[in-house]
Amino acid sequence: MVQGTTKGLQAKASSNARRAHKAAANTKKGRRNVAPKKAAGIKQASMHKALSAKINKSVEQQMVNAASSGKLTIMKNAGTAR
């Protein structure tokens, strides 16, 4: 009887490992933290979300105004539509 592994045989590579490797390479976009449960945490998170949205909107508006002032622009003239 053979004791130990034989030289010619190798373990078959499972397709699950390959699939897991591909899934790890393509990470999903979005938040990766747990939403708050307590009232103070919920209030703070909602305020942070609202402030972030306002800041982003302001920055985008400034970018549109800066880009649409020139002659050759790619962006729409949304800055004058206020």
Side-chain angles (χ1 to χ4, degrees):
M1 287 290 222
V2 178
Q3 296 189 6
T5 59
T6 58
K7 290 183 181 179
L9 300 176
Q10 292 181 346
K12 197 174 198 182
S14 67
S15 62
N16 290 341
R18 184 181 299 159
R19 196 171 297 144
H21 181 67
K22 281 186 179 179
N26 299 329
T27 58
K28 293 183 179 180
K29 295 179 182 175
R31 296 176 65 164
R32 285 174 179 69
N33 55 357
V34 178
K37 301 285 187 276
K38 295 182 180 178
I42 293 171
K43 186 176 179 182
Q44 183 181 3
S46 64
M47 185 171 57
H48 183 269
K49 187 175 180 181
L51 287 174
S52 295
K54 287 180 183 179
I55 290 170
N56 287 342
K57 187 174 181 181
S58 172
V59 168
E60 289 173 4
Q61 189 67 38
Q62 290 174 5
M63 289 293 294
V64 168
N65 288 336
S68 62
S69 65
K71 206 170 192 182
L72 300 173
T73 61
I74 298 173
M75 302 175 110
K76 297 179 196 173
N77 286 336
T80 59
R82 285 176 102 192

